[in-house]
Amino acid sequence: MLRVKCVLCEKIESLNSDTPEAKKLRNRPIHTYMCDSCRERIGKKTEERKAGGQFHMRRPHSEEEKDPYI
Ligand SMILES: [Zn+2]
């Protein structure tokens, strides 16, 4: 098992280390993990922004807050 902490709500979860997600996390810093409910929340936000036509997939994350349209 792989223990991971959600970056948003800090919930600790255990992943089966055979899952594709766990394998992915092994190659990345552990703090990139997001639990299902947070991911769903973020996913919804992303969908809303896409729907508003102001979401740019290629925009670096750090640039988002500077966007005058948000
Ligand atoms: Zn979470």
Side-chain angles (χ1 to χ4, degrees), residues 36-47:
D36 286 342
S37 54
C38 288
R39 208 182 335 218
E40 196 179 303
R41 227 164 48 209
I42 296 292
K44 259 184 214 154
K45 249 195 230 169
T46 304
E47 287 303 312

Side-chain angles (χ1 to χ4, degrees), residues 3-4 6 17 22-23 25 30-31 39-40 44 46-47 52 54-56 59-60 64 68:
R3 277 166 68 88
V4 289
C6 172
S17 33
K23 281 176 186 157
L25 280 165
I30 207 81
H31 62 257
R39 208 182 335 218
E40 196 179 303
K44 259 184 214 154
T46 304
E47 287 303 312
Q54 291 168 0
F55 184 81
H56 302 286
R59 186 185 299 276
E64 283 184 7

Side-chain angles (χ1 to χ4, degrees), residues 6-11 34-39 41:
C6 172
V7 273
L8 294 181
C9 65
E10 305 201 321
K11 185 167 85 175
M34 246 189 268
C35 72
D36 286 342
S37 54
C38 288
R39 208 182 335 218
R41 227 164 48 209

